[in-house]
Amino acid sequence: MIRDYFKVLTINLTSGQSSIIEVQGRNEVAGGSGLAAHLFAKYGQMNKPWDDPEQPLIFTIGPLTGYFPLMSKTVCAYKSPYHDQYAESHAGGRSALALRFADLDAVVITGKASKPVCISLGSRRIEIKEVHYLWGMDVYATGKYIRHMFRGSGHRSILRIGPAGEHGSPMACINADTYRHFGRLGGGAVMGMKNLKGISIRGDATFLLPENKDYPKLFEEVHKQLTDTDMMSKYHDLGTPINVIPLNKLKALPVRNLQQTSDPNIAGISGEKFAEVALLRNNACAGCPVGCIHIGFVRERFAEENRYLYRQVAYDHEPIFATGSMLGVLNCFKVLDIIDVVERMGLDVMSGGVALAWATEALEKGIVSEKETIIPLKFGDADGYKEAMIHLAMGTNEFYQTLSKGTMVAAERYNGKDFACVLGQEMAGYATGETFFTSQALGFRHSHLDSSGYSYDQKTEEKNAPKAADFLVKDEQGRVFLTSMLACLFARGVYNDELLGKCLNSVGYADLAGSISDVSRHIQKLRWRTRFATGFDPKSVSIPKRFTEIVTWKGAIDAEYLQTLKDEYSKRIIELGADNDKKAE
Amino acid sequence: MKMLTTPRMERCIGCHSCSLACARLVHKRLSWDTAGIRIRTSGGLSTGFEARTCLACNPAPCAKACPTGAYSQRKGGGVIVRKKLCIRCGECAKACPVDAIYLDPTGEPFVCIHCGRCVPYCPHDCLEMEEVAVETAAGEKEEEVQS
């Protein structure tokens, strides 16, 4: 163990002051998700809006970060511009190991800089640098400049925002190391509000390992398990886009704003097609030998003579669904073209794609006109969507400003709620049925990764709401401990509680190892309590009509069961958030 | 005598498993710095990765530069390091033409000892132990000393 408490760097951008503080609670909140909620209780302003300069932007890692393979993610927590409630977003890349080797368990950024700044930090440095000249630059250019401004190539992480974050869009992401993102719920706008353009984290510390043979031996076992299993080969081979064809066959792939759940021409954006014609290479998060990051290429002829430029664009199932099937764009290179624009602008790709899908149908239905959309949005028209993504990021007119606050905000304003594909936030790329819709609509992060509702839909025909709600609660509890360690959820099949206990023991966290069940339950409740304290009301969540109009391999969605399950899961969440477990506060 | 080579770095995905393995298994540390092989980008993540590791020079400029005998020539290329003799002067790192020696903040040097323990951790087979011809006197033994 490096320490039995949390070493936290706090930076106040208003005053320019920073400090290192010791925070207790390792055996109660572990790290990652638990630590983030713990720190939000300390620094967050529950009743003040997200853009109050006092609100913290929190980054945390876990007790196993760097010690074992795939312990490679970072949690980012903040009061979200999307719903003005407590939120988490997770990213891979290098930030987890960079923070570990910067010798920090967490960074808490409060205040607001008077001019645009970048923060550079490491185990022996903290610098706040004025960078007004970077304001307005896209994500790629910003990354290139920050790379030159601060040292540490290869052993650092560069987090930055693009124009969407600068404009305060609740759909703005924080780009992590070019190909990964703290994507959802508007973390980019939180940085923008603070006039914080980028953060460079240099990992330049070293730690002595435990003087026993258990740790290297266990590492070997874990490494073997993670790299030998079929599950990991899925991520190593085609990556997450392997899901496109099976979901299409199941009639569970959102297509054209969920007007359809499959398309006969889906092969054009399948994982197989991307791998065959567009895959350039792979990349990995630091500390992960799986390397699931798939990077495609697009080339553009920019002159009549044969003059080309090329760009490298990472792809996954979710971006492909959001800018491909959801927008009716079924050509892999055109999908990469749209993702490329989204990346530059610093938008969350899932939110952006689903928002434009709604706008397209709204235009079709005549509830908005080209006066609002500027572009004659049409399913399949990739060039139009590229331009529209820029309008969405820049907030060009009132329509795009409203849309960037959330598809449902625009749907309410323009009277198109029935076909807004929103489940707490813009939907993820699974139309598997009642359990998934409930899971995302009510889940803590409104993410497909809060719990595996989409998998439950595929494994059971039973319509038993208490049983399904039990599953969602239990699954979330397991995942919240993983995201407190802080593991990539792709490794969830290997890192069960027994193995996590062994891992924690081997590096000196025996108390934590012996209380995983209690601690995970505590963190789960702590997160929900924090969410409730910032205004969440599960009863106010509605699932738009469009989700009840679709047909999957199971047949039509059962609207009555969907409502029953939503009510049941809401009840469980309210119980979880009840103020009856405060041992760590 | 074998030496570590990096013949397929175009395949590298930047997972740092090699560096972490070296630090863990050879130097008993959690680190991506205190390792005989370190990965960096060629100029940003869109440009691929390079390995910083000992090219097994023969004669080795670092051994020649070492004023205490902590570094000595390894037969076949590279160096043998006796850290007990090291005074943390950093001359070895200065002498290395390819930036293969990492000095930690105390000046302790870390360089590849060509043991190959990093090789099995590379998921893309970028690394390889290559046999090199060595002229050894009868009965003479190679020694690899780390501390």
Side-chain angles (χ1 to χ4, degrees), chain A residues 12 43 84 105 162 175 192-193 268 315 405 438 556:
Chain A
N12 184 321
Y43 294 98
D84 208 19
D105 296 299
N175 180 289
M193 175 270 290
Y315 64 84
K405 288 178 184 159
T438 302

Side-chain angles (χ1 to χ4, degrees), chain A residues 440-460:
Chain A
Q440 195 191 335
L442 291 168
F444 181 80
R445 290 194 280 147
H446 301 298
S447 163
H448 56 294
L449 294 168
D450 282 323
S451 50
S452 53
Y454 53 87
S455 171
Y456 190 88
D457 279 329
Q458 293 173 63
K459 285 177 183 160
T460 180

Side-chain angles (χ1 to χ4, degrees), chain A residues 14-50:
Chain A
T14 305
S15 65
Q17 295 294 307
S18 53
S19 59
I20 295 283
I21 59 165
E22 290 184 19
V23 173
Q24 302 302 319
R26 177 70 81 180
N27 291 332
E28 287 78 31
V29 298
S33 291
L35 175 57
H38 191 49
L39 290 171
F40 193 81
K42 189 176 170 68
Y43 294 98
Q45 309 292 323
M46 303 292 176
N47 299 316
K48 289 186 179 175
W50 72 272

